[in-house]
Amino acid sequence: MALPTLSTRVPSRFRYPGAYMDWHREREVEKQNQLETHARYLERQSVCTDRHDVWTSSQYLDKSMSEYNKQCRKEHHRASLELRRNRLRTLFQEEMNQLQAEQRDLIQDRKARRGRQQQKGERHSTARQDMREKLEADLLKDFVVTQWKKMQLSEDTQTERADPRAGGRGISGARSKKDVTQNN
């Protein structure tokens, strides 16, 4: 871009030297302002060009693609983790349901086993009670029979002592010891 040129011709209206110097100073200030404006423009253009060069460079493209791929991998990883978490939650819930069902079954089995054991215990208790009663009855019977025999023997001996002629039978007509043992 070409810069405008200023004429060096002095116009006729500047007849005295101070007016020309004022005009010349104004022109210098304008020139300076114009140069600063152009410098700012060129600086901005340089920055824009540098940015454009950076943005269109292969390194920037590689870097932005790398970041994009990294972001995609993160999103994929997050989605995969969420899917795994959901599967684990489902498996955990199924396992908990299964454990609860097994626990209910075990509790029911224990209750049934306790009921069977109680019934068995009651049957054993009843059988033991019956055996005990039978044993007691047998013992009582043996005791009564033994006592009765002893009483008969003592009566026989007393009758023999009292009446030796009766031949072992007293007045009461009791049987002898031999007769009692043979009949049993």
Side-chain angles (χ1 to χ4, degrees), residues 150-163 168:
K150 283 182 185 177
M151 229 171 46
Q152 289 298 322
L153 282 176
S154 70
E155 283 179 7
D156 284 346
T157 53
Q158 282 177 1
T159 5
E160 281 181 14
R161 281 185 204 161
D163 190 16

Side-chain angles (χ1 to χ4, degrees), residues 63-142:
K63 184 178 177 184
S64 62
M65 284 306 290
S66 170
E67 287 296 320
Y68 174 76
N69 290 333
K70 192 178 190 181
Q71 191 67 25
C72 285
R73 281 192 303 271
K74 281 183 183 178
E75 288 297 322
H76 179 70
H77 185 67
R78 277 189 209 124
S80 173
L81 281 177
E82 190 61 32
L83 186 63
R84 268 194 245 154
R85 282 185 191 125
N86 288 337
R87 271 192 246 141
L88 286 174
R89 266 189 221 112
T90 304
L91 287 173
F92 180 71
Q93 188 61 42
E94 289 173 1
E95 187 73 21
M96 286 300 294
N97 292 341
Q98 185 179 6
L99 285 174
Q100 288 173 351
E102 287 177 9
Q103 190 176 21
R104 282 191 300 270
D105 291 345
L106 283 175
I107 289 171
Q108 289 174 355
D109 287 347
R110 284 182 187 164
K111 286 180 181 177
R113 191 178 318 137
R114 279 189 199 134
R116 286 192 303 265
Q117 287 175 348
Q118 285 176 351
Q119 289 174 352
K120 192 176 181 180
E122 288 172 2
R123 277 189 265 141
H124 285 304
S125 172
T126 305
R128 272 188 254 130
Q129 185 68 26
D130 291 344
M131 284 179 65
R132 190 177 302 127
E133 288 173 0
K134 185 177 178 184
L135 183 63
E136 287 175 359
D138 288 345
L139 287 173
L140 182 63
K141 181 180 171 186
D142 288 345

Side-chain angles (χ1 to χ4, degrees), residues 33-76:
N33 286 341
Q34 201 171 26
L35 285 175
E36 287 174 2
T37 304
H38 285 297
R40 281 194 304 269
Y41 171 78
L42 290 175
E43 186 177 329
R44 275 195 304 251
Q45 274 304 106
S46 173
V47 167
C48 287
T49 304
D50 289 345
R51 285 184 184 166
H52 182 266
D53 290 344
V54 166
W55 290 339
T56 58
S57 72
S58 62
Q59 290 174 344
Y60 185 79
L61 179 64
D62 292 343
K63 184 178 177 184
S64 62
M65 284 306 290
S66 170
E67 287 296 320
Y68 174 76
N69 290 333
K70 192 178 190 181
Q71 191 67 25
C72 285
R73 281 192 303 271
K74 281 183 183 178
E75 288 297 322
H76 179 70

